[in-house]
mmCIF file with all atom_site columns, all heavy atoms in Angstrom:
data_model
loop_
_atom_site.group_PDB
_atom_site.id
_atom_site.type_symbol
_atom_site.label_atom_id
_atom_site.label_alt_id
_atom_site.label_comp_id
_atom_site.label_asym_id
_atom_site.label_entity_id
_atom_site.label_seq_id
_atom_site.pdbx_PDB_ins_code
_atom_site.Cartn_x
_atom_site.Cartn_y
_atom_site.Cartn_z
_atom_site.occupancy
_atom_site.B_iso_or_equiv
_atom_site.pdbx_formal_charge
_atom_site.auth_seq_id
_atom_site.auth_comp_id
_atom_site.auth_asym_id
_atom_site.auth_atom_id
_atom_site.pdbx_PDB_model_num
ATOM 1   N N   . GLU A 1 90  ? -36.795 -13.344 -172.922 1.00 85.00 ? 90  GLU A N   1
ATOM 2   C CA  . GLU A 1 90  ? -36.665 -14.600 -173.645 1.00 85.00 ? 90  GLU A CA  1
ATOM 3   C C   . GLU A 1 90  ? -35.840 -14.490 -174.933 1.00 85.00 ? 90  GLU A C   1
ATOM 4   O O   . GLU A 1 90  ? -35.290 -15.472 -175.413 1.00 85.00 ? 90  GLU A O   1
ATOM 5   C CB  . GLU A 1 90  ? -38.058 -15.135 -173.999 1.00 85.00 ? 90  GLU A CB  1
ATOM 6   C CG  . GLU A 1 90  ? -38.843 -15.656 -172.772 1.00 85.00 ? 90  GLU A CG  1
ATOM 7   C CD  . GLU A 1 90  ? -40.273 -15.989 -173.118 1.00 85.00 ? 90  GLU A CD  1
ATOM 8   O OE1 . GLU A 1 90  ? -40.904 -15.351 -173.968 1.00 85.00 ? 90  GLU A OE1 1
ATOM 9   O OE2 . GLU A 1 90  ? -40.783 -16.983 -172.517 1.00 85.00 ? 90  GLU A OE2 1
ATOM 10  N N   . ILE A 1 91  ? -35.752 -13.259 -175.488 1.00 88.00 ? 91  ILE A N   1
ATOM 11  C CA  . ILE A 1 91  ? -35.046 -13.103 -176.728 1.00 88.00 ? 91  ILE A CA  1
ATOM 12  C C   . ILE A 1 91  ? -33.707 -12.383 -176.584 1.00 88.00 ? 91  ILE A C   1
ATOM 13  O O   . ILE A 1 91  ? -33.016 -12.160 -177.568 1.00 88.00 ? 91  ILE A O   1
ATOM 14  C CB  . ILE A 1 91  ? -35.897 -12.362 -177.803 1.00 88.00 ? 91  ILE A CB  1
ATOM 15  C CG1 . ILE A 1 91  ? -36.250 -10.932 -177.336 1.00 88.00 ? 91  ILE A CG1 1
ATOM 16  C CG2 . ILE A 1 91  ? -37.154 -13.162 -178.132 1.00 88.00 ? 91  ILE A CG2 1
ATOM 17  C CD1 . ILE A 1 91  ? -36.936 -10.131 -178.433 1.00 88.00 ? 91  ILE A CD1 1
ATOM 18  N N   . ILE A 1 92  ? -33.354 -12.032 -175.392 1.00 83.00 ? 92  ILE A N   1
ATOM 19  C CA  . ILE A 1 92  ? -32.061 -11.390 -175.144 1.00 83.00 ? 92  ILE A CA  1
ATOM 20  C C   . ILE A 1 92  ? -30.939 -12.370 -175.439 1.00 83.00 ? 92  ILE A C   1
ATOM 21  O O   . ILE A 1 92  ? -29.870 -11.970 -175.917 1.00 83.00 ? 92  ILE A O   1
ATOM 22  C CB  . ILE A 1 92  ? -31.960 -10.837 -173.710 1.00 83.00 ? 92  ILE A CB  1
ATOM 23  C CG1 . ILE A 1 92  ? -32.888 -9.634  -173.549 1.00 83.00 ? 92  ILE A CG1 1
ATOM 24  C CG2 . ILE A 1 92  ? -30.529 -10.469 -173.349 1.00 83.00 ? 92  ILE A CG2 1
ATOM 25  C CD1 . ILE A 1 92  ? -33.003 -9.152  -172.127 1.00 83.00 ? 92  ILE A CD1 1
ATOM 26  N N   . GLN A 1 93  ? -31.154 -13.665 -175.147 1.00 83.00 ? 93  GLN A N   1
ATOM 27  C CA  . GLN A 1 93  ? -30.151 -14.692 -175.443 1.00 83.00 ? 93  GLN A CA  1
ATOM 28  C C   . GLN A 1 93  ? -29.958 -14.741 -176.965 1.00 83.00 ? 93  GLN A C   1
ATOM 29  O O   . GLN A 1 93  ? -30.923 -14.935 -177.724 1.00 83.00 ? 93  GLN A O   1
ATOM 30  C CB  . GLN A 1 93  ? -30.608 -16.026 -174.922 1.00 83.00 ? 93  GLN A CB  1
ATOM 31  C CG  . GLN A 1 93  ? -29.661 -17.183 -175.186 1.00 83.00 ? 93  GLN A CG  1
ATOM 32  C CD  . GLN A 1 93  ? -28.351 -17.031 -174.386 1.00 83.00 ? 93  GLN A CD  1
ATOM 33  O OE1 . GLN A 1 93  ? -28.331 -16.475 -173.325 1.00 83.00 ? 93  GLN A OE1 1
ATOM 34  N NE2 . GLN A 1 93  ? -27.242 -17.543 -174.951 1.00 83.00 ? 93  GLN A NE2 1
ATOM 35  N N   . PRO A 1 94  ? -28.727 -14.533 -177.491 1.00 83.00 ? 94  PRO A N   1
ATOM 36  C CA  . PRO A 1 94  ? -28.509 -14.546 -178.933 1.00 83.00 ? 94  PRO A CA  1
ATOM 37  C C   . PRO A 1 94  ? -28.990 -15.822 -179.592 1.00 83.00 ? 94  PRO A C   1
ATOM 38  O O   . PRO A 1 94  ? -28.849 -16.907 -179.059 1.00 83.00 ? 94  PRO A O   1
ATOM 39  C CB  . PRO A 1 94  ? -26.969 -14.409 -179.050 1.00 83.00 ? 94  PRO A CB  1
ATOM 40  C CG  . PRO A 1 94  ? -26.573 -13.738 -177.790 1.00 83.00 ? 94  PRO A CG  1
ATOM 41  C CD  . PRO A 1 94  ? -27.491 -14.283 -176.734 1.00 83.00 ? 94  PRO A CD  1
ATOM 42  N N   . PHE A 1 95  ? -29.597 -15.658 -180.774 1.00 88.00 ? 95  PHE A N   1
ATOM 43  C CA  . PHE A 1 95  ? -30.044 -16.756 -181.626 1.00 88.00 ? 95  PHE A CA  1
ATOM 44  C C   . PHE A 1 95  ? -31.020 -17.676 -180.907 1.00 88.00 ? 95  PHE A C   1
ATOM 45  O O   . PHE A 1 95  ? -30.891 -18.907 -180.965 1.00 88.00 ? 95  PHE A O   1
ATOM 46  C CB  . PHE A 1 95  ? -28.846 -17.491 -182.198 1.00 88.00 ? 95  PHE A CB  1
ATOM 47  C CG  . PHE A 1 95  ? -27.926 -16.592 -182.956 1.00 88.00 ? 95  PHE A CG  1
ATOM 48  C CD1 . PHE A 1 95  ? -26.761 -16.076 -182.360 1.00 88.00 ? 95  PHE A CD1 1
ATOM 49  C CD2 . PHE A 1 95  ? -28.241 -16.179 -184.262 1.00 88.00 ? 95  PHE A CD2 1
ATOM 50  C CE1 . PHE A 1 95  ? -25.951 -15.195 -183.063 1.00 88.00 ? 95  PHE A CE1 1
ATOM 51  C CE2 . PHE A 1 95  ? -27.418 -15.288 -184.977 1.00 88.00 ? 95  PHE A CE2 1
ATOM 52  C CZ  . PHE A 1 95  ? -26.271 -14.782 -184.373 1.00 88.00 ? 95  PHE A CZ  1
ATOM 53  N N   . SER A 1 96  ? -31.978 -17.035 -180.219 1.00 87.00 ? 96  SER A N   1
ATOM 54  C CA  . SER A 1 96  ? -32.988 -17.801 -179.454 1.00 87.00 ? 96  SER A CA  1
ATOM 55  C C   . SER A 1 96  ? -34.393 -17.430 -179.902 1.00 87.00 ? 96  SER A C   1
ATOM 56  O O   . SER A 1 96  ? -35.353 -17.764 -179.247 1.00 87.00 ? 96  SER A O   1
ATOM 57  C CB  . SER A 1 96  ? -32.822 -17.520 -177.987 1.00 87.00 ? 96  SER A CB  1
ATOM 58  O OG  . SER A 1 96  ? -33.048 -16.168 -177.656 1.00 87.00 ? 96  SER A OG  1
ATOM 59  N N   . PHE A 1 97  ? -34.507 -16.699 -180.989 1.00 91.00 ? 97  PHE A N   1
ATOM 60  C CA  . PHE A 1 97  ? -35.815 -16.191 -181.410 1.00 91.00 ? 97  PHE A CA  1
ATOM 61  C C   . PHE A 1 97  ? -36.700 -17.348 -181.940 1.00 91.00 ? 97  PHE A C   1
ATOM 62  O O   . PHE A 1 97  ? -36.188 -18.302 -182.524 1.00 91.00 ? 97  PHE A O   1
ATOM 63  C CB  . PHE A 1 97  ? -35.666 -15.176 -182.581 1.00 91.00 ? 97  PHE A CB  1
ATOM 64  C CG  . PHE A 1 97  ? -35.221 -13.809 -182.126 1.00 91.00 ? 97  PHE A CG  1
ATOM 65  C CD1 . PHE A 1 97  ? -34.239 -13.666 -181.171 1.00 91.00 ? 97  PHE A CD1 1
ATOM 66  C CD2 . PHE A 1 97  ? -35.765 -12.671 -182.688 1.00 91.00 ? 97  PHE A CD2 1
ATOM 67  C CE1 . PHE A 1 97  ? -33.816 -12.397 -180.773 1.00 91.00 ? 97  PHE A CE1 1
ATOM 68  C CE2 . PHE A 1 97  ? -35.363 -11.411 -182.305 1.00 91.00 ? 97  PHE A CE2 1
ATOM 69  C CZ  . PHE A 1 97  ? -34.390 -11.273 -181.345 1.00 91.00 ? 97  PHE A CZ  1
ATOM 70  N N   . PRO A 1 98  ? -37.996 -17.196 -181.800 1.00 89.00 ? 98  PRO A N   1
ATOM 71  C CA  . PRO A 1 98  ? -38.905 -18.142 -182.470 1.00 89.00 ? 98  PRO A CA  1
ATOM 72  C C   . PRO A 1 98  ? -38.874 -17.872 -183.958 1.00 89.00 ? 98  PRO A C   1
ATOM 73  O O   . PRO A 1 98  ? -38.454 -16.823 -184.432 1.00 89.00 ? 98  PRO A O   1
ATOM 74  C CB  . PRO A 1 98  ? -40.269 -17.811 -181.868 1.00 89.00 ? 98  PRO A CB  1
ATOM 75  C CG  . PRO A 1 98  ? -40.142 -16.372 -181.445 1.00 89.00 ? 98  PRO A CG  1
ATOM 76  C CD  . PRO A 1 98  ? -38.736 -16.194 -181.028 1.00 89.00 ? 98  PRO A CD  1
ATOM 77  N N   . GLU A 1 99  ? -39.340 -18.830 -184.766 1.00 93.00 ? 99  GLU A N   1
ATOM 78  C CA  . GLU A 1 99  ? -39.296 -18.683 -186.202 1.00 93.00 ? 99  GLU A CA  1
ATOM 79  C C   . GLU A 1 99  ? -40.308 -17.614 -186.688 1.00 93.00 ? 99  GLU A C   1
ATOM 80  O O   . GLU A 1 99  ? -41.497 -17.710 -186.355 1.00 93.00 ? 99  GLU A O   1
ATOM 81  C CB  . GLU A 1 99  ? -39.620 -20.035 -186.891 1.00 93.00 ? 99  GLU A CB  1
ATOM 82  C CG  . GLU A 1 99  ? -39.469 -19.996 -188.380 1.00 93.00 ? 99  GLU A CG  1
ATOM 83  C CD  . GLU A 1 99  ? -39.724 -21.349 -189.040 1.00 93.00 ? 99  GLU A CD  1
ATOM 84  O OE1 . GLU A 1 99  ? -39.788 -22.343 -188.301 1.00 93.00 ? 99  GLU A OE1 1
ATOM 85  O OE2 . GLU A 1 99  ? -39.901 -21.378 -190.248 1.00 93.00 ? 99  GLU A OE2 1
ATOM 86  N N   . LEU A 1 100 ? -39.804 -16.672 -187.451 1.00 95.00 ? 100 LEU A N   1
ATOM 87  C CA  . LEU A 1 100 ? -40.666 -15.577 -187.934 1.00 95.00 ? 100 LEU A CA  1
ATOM 88  C C   . LEU A 1 100 ? -41.226 -15.900 -189.310 1.00 95.00 ? 100 LEU A C   1
ATOM 89  O O   . LEU A 1 100 ? -41.021 -16.966 -189.875 1.00 95.00 ? 100 LEU A O   1
ATOM 90  C CB  . LEU A 1 100 ? -39.883 -14.259 -187.943 1.00 95.00 ? 100 LEU A CB  1
ATOM 91  C CG  . LEU A 1 100 ? -39.417 -13.737 -186.577 1.00 95.00 ? 100 LEU A CG  1
ATOM 92  C CD1 . LEU A 1 100 ? -38.648 -12.463 -186.702 1.00 95.00 ? 100 LEU A CD1 1
ATOM 93  C CD2 . LEU A 1 100 ? -40.604 -13.562 -185.619 1.00 95.00 ? 100 LEU A CD2 1
ATOM 94  N N   . ARG A 1 101 ? -41.963 -14.910 -189.873 1.00 95.00 ? 101 ARG A N   1
ATOM 95  C CA  . ARG A 1 101 ? -42.559 -14.966 -191.208 1.00 95.00 ? 101 ARG A CA  1
ATOM 96  C C   . ARG A 1 101 ? -43.838 -15.839 -191.191 1.00 95.00 ? 101 ARG A C   1
ATOM 97  O O   . ARG A 1 101 ? -44.262 -16.292 -192.255 1.00 95.00 ? 101 ARG A O   1
ATOM 98  C CB  . ARG A 1 101 ? -41.587 -15.429 -192.295 1.00 95.00 ? 101 ARG A CB  1
ATOM 99  C CG  . ARG A 1 101 ? -40.457 -14.449 -192.461 1.00 95.00 ? 101 ARG A CG  1
ATOM 100 C CD  . ARG A 1 101 ? -39.268 -14.967 -193.283 1.00 95.00 ? 101 ARG A CD  1
ATOM 101 N NE  . ARG A 1 101 ? -38.233 -13.928 -193.389 1.00 95.00 ? 101 ARG A NE  1
ATOM 102 C CZ  . ARG A 1 101 ? -37.368 -13.619 -192.418 1.00 95.00 ? 101 ARG A CZ  1
ATOM 103 N NH1 . ARG A 1 101 ? -37.402 -14.329 -191.270 1.00 95.00 ? 101 ARG A NH1 1
ATOM 104 N NH2 . ARG A 1 101 ? -36.483 -12.676 -192.630 1.00 95.00 ? 101 ARG A NH2 1
ATOM 105 N N   . LYS A 1 102 ? -44.395 -16.073 -190.052 1.00 94.00 ? 102 LYS A N   1
ATOM 106 C CA  . LYS A 1 102 ? -45.685 -16.722 -189.954 1.00 94.00 ? 102 LYS A CA  1
ATOM 107 C C   . LYS A 1 102 ? -46.804 -15.745 -190.359 1.00 94.00 ? 102 LYS A C   1
ATOM 108 O O   . LYS A 1 102 ? -47.818 -16.190 -190.867 1.00 94.00 ? 102 LYS A O   1
ATOM 109 C CB  . LYS A 1 102 ? -45.910 -17.219 -188.516 1.00 94.00 ? 102 LYS A CB  1
ATOM 110 C CG  . LYS A 1 102 ? -44.851 -18.133 -187.965 1.00 94.00 ? 102 LYS A CG  1
ATOM 111 C CD  . LYS A 1 102 ? -44.869 -19.482 -188.592 1.00 94.00 ? 102 LYS A CD  1
ATOM 112 C CE  . LYS A 1 102 ? -43.883 -20.425 -187.890 1.00 94.00 ? 102 LYS A CE  1
ATOM 113 N NZ  . LYS A 1 102 ? -43.860 -21.752 -188.541 1.00 94.00 ? 102 LYS A NZ  1
ATOM 114 N N   . LYS A 1 103 ? -46.593 -14.454 -190.068 1.00 95.00 ? 103 LYS A N   1
ATOM 115 C CA  . LYS A 1 103 ? -47.605 -13.473 -190.349 1.00 95.00 ? 103 LYS A CA  1
ATOM 116 C C   . LYS A 1 103 ? -47.156 -12.427 -191.359 1.00 95.00 ? 103 LYS A C   1
ATOM 117 O O   . LYS A 1 103 ? -47.995 -11.887 -192.104 1.00 95.00 ? 103 LYS A O   1
ATOM 118 C CB  . LYS A 1 103 ? -48.010 -12.729 -189.063 1.00 95.00 ? 103 LYS A CB  1
ATOM 119 C CG  . LYS A 1 103 ? -48.662 -13.601 -188.006 1.00 95.00 ? 103 LYS A CG  1
ATOM 120 C CD  . LYS A 1 103 ? -49.001 -12.764 -186.780 1.00 95.00 ? 103 LYS A CD  1
ATOM 121 C CE  . LYS A 1 103 ? -49.647 -13.604 -185.693 1.00 95.00 ? 103 LYS A CE  1
ATOM 122 N NZ  . LYS A 1 103 ? -49.975 -12.795 -184.480 1.00 95.00 ? 103 LYS A NZ  1
ATOM 123 N N   . ALA A 1 104 ? -45.870 -12.081 -191.378 1.00 96.00 ? 104 ALA A N   1
ATOM 124 C CA  . ALA A 1 104 ? -45.417 -10.969 -192.256 1.00 96.00 ? 104 ALA A CA  1
ATOM 125 C C   . ALA A 1 104 ? -43.963 -11.169 -192.708 1.00 96.00 ? 104 ALA A C   1
ATOM 126 O O   . ALA A 1 104 ? -43.196 -11.878 -192.075 1.00 96.00 ? 104 ALA A O   1
ATOM 127 C CB  . ALA A 1 104 ? -45.520 -9.660  -191.473 1.00 96.00 ? 104 ALA A CB  1
ATOM 128 N N   . LYS A 1 105 ? -43.652 -10.515 -193.807 1.00 97.00 ? 105 LYS A N   1
ATOM 129 C CA  . LYS A 1 105 ? -42.281 -10.389 -194.295 1.00 97.00 ? 105 LYS A CA  1
ATOM 130 C C   . LYS A 1 105 ? -41.821 -8.955  -194.088 1.00 97.00 ? 105 LYS A C   1
ATOM 131 O O   . LYS A 1 105 ? -42.624 -8.076  -193.775 1.00 97.00 ? 105 LYS A O   1
ATOM 132 C CB  . LYS A 1 105 ? -42.174 -10.864 -195.715 1.00 97.00 ? 105 LYS A CB  1
ATOM 133 C CG  . LYS A 1 105 ? -42.379 -12.355 -195.879 1.00 97.00 ? 105 LYS A CG  1
ATOM 134 C CD  . LYS A 1 105 ? -42.004 -12.868 -197.244 1.00 97.00 ? 105 LYS A CD  1
ATOM 135 C CE  . LYS A 1 105 ? -42.130 -14.396 -197.275 1.00 97.00 ? 105 LYS A CE  1
ATOM 136 N NZ  . LYS A 1 105 ? -41.703 -14.923 -198.610 1.00 97.00 ? 105 LYS A NZ  1
ATOM 137 N N   . PHE A 1 106 ? -40.514 -8.725  -194.328 1.00 97.00 ? 106 PHE A N   1
ATOM 138 C CA  . PHE A 1 106 ? -39.898 -7.452  -193.856 1.00 97.00 ? 106 PHE A CA  1
ATOM 139 C C   . PHE A 1 106 ? -39.063 -6.846  -194.977 1.00 97.00 ? 106 PHE A C   1
ATOM 140 O O   . PHE A 1 106 ? -38.204 -7.520  -195.567 1.00 97.00 ? 106 PHE A O   1
ATOM 141 C CB  . PHE A 1 106 ? -38.998 -7.768  -192.657 1.00 97.00 ? 106 PHE A CB  1
ATOM 142 C CG  . PHE A 1 106 ? -38.574 -6.562  -191.843 1.00 97.00 ? 106 PHE A CG  1
ATOM 143 C CD1 . PHE A 1 106 ? -39.197 -6.303  -190.623 1.00 97.00 ? 106 PHE A CD1 1
ATOM 144 C CD2 . PHE A 1 106 ? -37.594 -5.733  -192.280 1.00 97.00 ? 106 PHE A CD2 1
ATOM 145 C CE1 . PHE A 1 106 ? -38.774 -5.226  -189.862 1.00 97.00 ? 106 PHE A CE1 1
ATOM 146 C CE2 . PHE A 1 106 ? -37.202 -4.644  -191.541 1.00 97.00 ? 106 PHE A CE2 1
ATOM 147 C CZ  . PHE A 1 106 ? -37.802 -4.368  -190.295 1.00 97.00 ? 106 PHE A CZ  1
ATOM 148 N N   . ILE A 1 107 ? -39.299 -5.578  -195.222 1.00 97.00 ? 107 ILE A N   1
ATOM 149 C CA  . ILE A 1 107 ? -38.473 -4.771  -196.162 1.00 97.00 ? 107 ILE A CA  1
ATOM 150 C C   . ILE A 1 107 ? -37.840 -3.625  -195.380 1.00 97.00 ? 107 ILE A C   1
ATOM 151 O O   . ILE A 1 107 ? -38.536 -2.922  -194.680 1.00 97.00 ? 107 ILE A O   1
ATOM 152 C CB  . ILE A 1 107 ? -39.313 -4.216  -197.325 1.00 97.00 ? 107 ILE A CB  1
ATOM 153 C CG1 . ILE A 1 107 ? -39.882 -5.357  -198.205 1.00 97.00 ? 107 ILE A CG1 1
ATOM 154 C CG2 . ILE A 1 107 ? -38.438 -3.283  -198.207 1.00 97.00 ? 107 ILE A CG2 1
ATOM 155 C CD1 . ILE A 1 107 ? -40.816 -4.851  -199.306 1.00 97.00 ? 107 ILE A CD1 1
#
Side-chain angles (χ1 to χ4, degrees):
E90 290 173 325
I91 62 171
I92 289 170
Q93 181 67 30
F95 303 99
S96 62
F97 282 41
E99 186 177 348
L100 296 179
R101 295 167 180 80
K102 303 289 186 182
K103 296 180 181 178
K105 292 192 175 181
F106 196 104
I107 296 175

